[in-house]
Amino acid sequence: MDWGMANRMSKIIKPKTGKTVMLAVDHGYFMGPTTGLENLKKTVDPLIPYADTLMLTRGALRNYVSPDVDIPIVLRVSGGTSILNKNLLHEGIVASIEEAIRLNVAGVAFSILVGSEMERDTILAFTEMIDEAQLYGIPVVAVTAVGKEMVRDARYMSLASRIAAELGAQIVKTYYVDGFEQVVRTCPVPIVIAGGKKLPELDALKMAHAAIKAGAVGVDMGRNIFQSGDPVAMIKAVRAVVHEGASPKDAFAQFPKGKKRR
Ligand code: 5RP
């Protein structure tokens, strides 16, 4: 791995623990002003001190995040369909590698839709981005998006994650499922889990803990943090689980008493 790629990887996966808490707020590129991101700056600013990276679109970065922010950026570079489209996540390149370099990012994120009728389009666009990013030593986080019609099981996540890694991704973001050890065992690059739809905080912490135990290097979590009754308390609890090996119960016990716990 060349020095630049290794240096950027170390900004995403922290060398001290080998883990990462990536804050995902890129939802707007297909969901618009989703709950909790109506004013992205107001939501994100208090969370930045506790996140290892910030994953978002170029428009969100430019319009909501101050350029003097001290956090590595992972830029969402795939898109092309919205939640109104029946072919959700039929994605292609929506931000160039030159734009990523201009924005001084630590990595880029691209969704592939393995198993859908659009898989070839998403995969070919993904590999174009891989080639470009490789030229400049920029890590690619493959997001193994899952279409509505697909079964979310270890077999699927293992297939999608391995395809992403075989095609050249440096990090894979997938979803936690039972039998996740198999997904980790069959993927040659580090795996992080998305949080998915909002869960009760303790359940989300249990999911993060189980993923780490199964070999994931961390999370790239959004809604389970910014839609929490107390997002700062939640990201701190996620950090405790991911970086300090805290149990979900102990991490959750740090929640301020009386705060709305969902
Ligand atoms: C949306 C994404 C999100 O970054 C990813 O799903 C993580 O966010 P959440 O924890 O809210 O699922 O890739 O397509």
Side-chain angles (χ1 to χ4, degrees):
M1 191 182 281
D2 71 30
W3 193 91
M5 178 69 87
N7 178 258
R8 289 187 185 90
M9 283 292 281
S10 75
K11 294 187 188 313
I12 300 173
I13 300 173
K14 301 306 177 190
K16 200 160 153 243
T17 60
K19 301 284 189 300
T20 185
V21 173
M22 302 170 71
L23 176 59
V25 291
D26 61 320
H27 306 64
Y29 83 94
F30 76 108
M31 295 172 90
T34 194
T35 306
L37 296 182
E38 296 87 347
N39 178 334
L40 194 139
K41 179 172 183 57
K42 192 161 160 274
T43 299
V44 164
D45 280 357
L47 298 172
I48 283 177
Y50 307 102
D52 293 318
T53 71
L54 188 59
M55 177 172 154
L56 73 179
T57 61
R58 58 174 158 182
L61 187 58
R62 286 208 190 101
N63 292 297
Y64 290 114
V65 181
S66 164
D68 61 3
V69 72
D70 180 17
I71 185 166
I73 299 298
V74 175
L75 190 71
R76 161 61 70 174
V77 292
S78 72
T81 45
S82 77
I83 43 174
L84 299 181
N85 189 308
K86 66 176 174 44
N87 288 330
L88 180 62
L89 300 175
H90 185 179
E91 303 200 352
I93 296 172
V94 294
S96 69
I97 201 67
E98 288 79 12
E99 178 77 323
I101 294 165
R102 205 170 16 248
L103 293 168
N104 194 28
V105 305
V108 293
F110 196 110
S111 294
I112 56 173
L113 211 61
V114 172
S116 76
E117 59 188 78
M118 301 84 72
E119 71 172 359
R120 186 174 187 276
D121 288 359
T122 64
I123 288 176
L124 292 183
F126 171 66
T127 51
E128 271 178 56
M129 180 50 71
I130 292 266
D131 285 339
E132 293 280 291
Q134 194 68 29
L135 266 181
Y136 299 102
I138 297 180
V140 176
V141 178
V143 177
T144 59
V146 188
K148 293 192 188 80
E149 69 288 355
M150 283 175 242
V151 178
R152 286 184 178 220
D153 61 11
R155 186 169 169 278
Y156 176 81
M157 299 303 173
S158 175
L159 170 73
S161 300
R162 178 60 175 266
I163 287 174
E166 295 264 358
L167 291 169
Q170 278 75 29
I171 300 173
V172 170
K173 171 164 75 168
T174 190
Y175 292 85
Y176 181 77
V177 290
D178 289 343
F180 198 69
E181 293 77 2
Q182 174 198 337
V183 182
V184 174
R185 194 173 52 247
T186 54
C187 183
V189 299
I191 288 189
V192 297
I193 62 156
K197 287 193 174 63
K198 177 73 178 70
L199 301 167
E201 276 87 348
L202 186 53
D203 291 348
L205 292 170
K206 284 178 181 169
M207 177 174 66
H209 186 264
I212 297 291
K213 197 157 165 261
V217 297
V219 300
D220 183 16
M221 196 176 267
R223 288 161 288 180
N224 277 286
I225 291 174
F226 63 74
Q227 292 176 353
S228 164
D230 184 339
V232 170
M234 185 58 181
I235 197 166
K236 283 180 175 176
V238 171
R239 283 195 76 79
V241 166
V242 171
H243 283 295
E244 298 156 29
S247 72
K249 190 162 156 283
D250 290 349
F252 189 57
Q254 303 307 314
F255 258 63
K257 297 285 171 273
K259 277 281 177 186
K260 194 171 169 211
R261 296 181 174 189
R262 287 181 291 186

